[in-house]
Amino acid sequence: MTSYEAELVVERRESAADGVLALTLRHPLGEELPSWEPGAHIDVVLGPGLERQYSLCGDPSDGRAWRIAVLREPDGRGGSSYVHEQLGQGDKVRVRGPRNHFELRPAPRYRFIAGGIGITPILPMLTAAEAAGAEWTLLYGGRTRGSMAFAEELSRYGDRVRFAPQDETGLLDLMSVLAAVSEDTLVYCCGPGPLLDAVEEACPSGRLHVERFRPKLQESGPDDEFEVVLERSARTLTVPAGVSVLDTVRAAGVEVLYSCTEGTCGTCETDVLEGTPDHRDSVLTDEEREAGETMLICVSRCLGKRLVLDL
């Protein structure tokens, strides 16, 4: 699996809302950046052990600029503080990607739901839905009106966008959006875990697409030892209890792409040639889990004694 990797320059820093910083990234030599589709994200390497994933929220037709937005989280793990406090205008930052596990599928109608910084992958989806002539609405919630990023940008869509600051309207009225979702309507949602959990309970899974910034608590099988065969490397390894496939493979000197190590970004997705994965990620759909053709090796394990992977 290959991935674009380069050092890009922070061309512009601008406030997108209270506590939200938007960054425009460009190649230092003005080179074209890889194309991307709505829902894509990139890995941003901020320093040793400090790597984060951010959704691309700019214009996919602009091949020379990538835009991301970063919410400052004072109680976070340090990534957002670094971006807000240390990553300055003209600085360079290493990025990888883009990757997309939140693709916008064709449909005549969409219902978009965003909570807080979850608006970022939704923004380019609105542009794409508009260009396709689809019928769509967006329900957008946040703590306060001032904390809701890109509100001015969204205002051009008129009453198709419903702003719902919690301090003014309370919790999002999800049933007003989901109660009458027709069979030809797809629902896309991104935001904090409790919002996604509520939407998943209220919406048929076949019509719902979500992206999580934090891993979802998963029911899983036992944490037993098992064998993993690396087909291309002609290696057979033992994955001990309590150790991930990813860590086992890397300890054996096999290079693999990875990023979040939490099962949320999809970077380490690997083809499964034999065996049944015990899926513990927050990325794959129910259909993809049932098929068992791929797995995220940073968190998922084996329902059995042996897996054969395309590594």
Side-chain angles (χ1 to χ4, degrees):
M1 182 179 178
T2 59
S3 177
Y4 176 81
E5 183 168 350
E7 282 196 338
L8 302 185
V9 175
V10 179
E11 182 202 62
R12 186 167 66 249
R13 289 163 49 98
E14 56 187 326
S15 174
D18 296 342
V20 179
L21 184 65
L23 304 178
T24 300
L25 308 175
R26 294 185 184 270
H27 193 280
L29 300 179
E31 295 180 4
E32 288 270 340
L33 301 175
S35 61
W36 59 280
E37 299 292 332
H41 71 261
I42 57 173
D43 304 328
V44 181
V45 183
L46 301 168
L50 196 61
E51 184 173 320
R52 299 292 183 265
Q53 292 75 45
Y54 298 111
S55 297
L56 292 170
C57 59
D59 181 0
S61 68
D62 185 352
R64 296 186 184 274
W66 283 347
R67 184 176 70 169
I68 61 174
V70 181
L71 169 67
R72 181 163 191 160
E73 299 181 271
D75 298 324
R77 297 176 296 157
S80 68
S81 295
Y82 182 92
V83 171
H84 278 254
E85 297 172 11
Q86 300 186 51
L87 192 60
Q89 190 90 358
D91 286 350
K92 291 183 179 179
V93 63
R94 181 156 291 275
V95 303
R96 291 196 298 262
R99 276 178 291 275
N100 199 342
H101 285 272
F102 194 42
E103 298 96 340
L104 183 68
R105 299 182 183 180
R109 296 177 181 80
Y110 298 98
R111 296 294 175 262
F112 298 105
I113 303 170
I117 198 63
I119 190 63
T120 51
I122 300 295
L123 268 180
M125 292 185 178
L126 304 183
T127 304
E130 186 81 351
E135 185 270 311
W136 63 268
T137 62
L138 166 65
L139 176 61
Y140 180 19
R143 291 180 292 103
T144 65
R145 193 171 293 272
S147 72
M148 299 172 71
F150 304 111
E152 183 176 350
E153 194 170 314
L154 288 164
S155 64
R156 72 177 187 267
Y157 293 120
D159 59 8
R160 281 179 292 175
V161 176
R162 177 148 55 102
F163 295 95
Q166 187 173 351
D167 63 342
E168 298 178 21
T169 64
L171 296 177
L172 290 180
D173 180 11
L174 297 178
M175 294 314 298
S176 67
V177 177
L178 301 175
V181 171
S182 58
E183 291 186 2
D184 61 355
T185 301
L186 295 183
V187 178
Y188 280 79
C189 180
C190 185
L195 169 63
L196 300 185
D197 293 341
V199 172
E200 285 180 337
E201 280 200 21
C203 185
S205 61
R207 300 175 205 162
L208 177 62
H209 302 270
V210 303
E211 182 170 61
R212 291 181 178 270
F213 295 139
R214 298 285 184 271
K216 181 181 181 181
L217 183 63
Q218 302 282 356
E219 293 184 9
S220 55
D223 210 20
D224 295 340
E225 175 182 293
F226 62 94
E227 184 180 83
V228 61
V229 179
L230 310 183
E231 183 77 9
R232 283 190 283 119
S233 302
R235 302 280 299 276
T236 298
L237 307 173
T238 297
V239 181
V243 179
S244 70
V245 177
L246 173 64
D247 287 344
T248 302
V249 168
R250 293 186 64 233
V254 178
E255 290 296 320
V256 291
L257 285 177
Y258 70 98
S259 184
C260 73
T261 70
E262 296 180 323
T264 58
C265 74
T267 305
C268 69
E269 185 175 4
T270 302
D271 288 340
V272 178
L273 304 179
E274 292 181 31
T276 304
D278 177 11
H279 295 292
R280 305 185 184 188
D281 65 275
S282 303
V283 173
L284 298 180
T285 64
D286 291 342
E287 292 79 9
E288 290 168 333
R289 290 166 179 263
E290 183 68 26
E293 296 175 352
T294 68
M295 65 182 289
L296 271 64
I297 61 173
C298 66
V299 291
S300 297
R301 299 185 69 78
C302 178
L303 291 175
K305 294 295 184 182
R306 183 174 181 269
L307 283 174
V308 181
L309 302 180
D310 186 23
L311 289 173

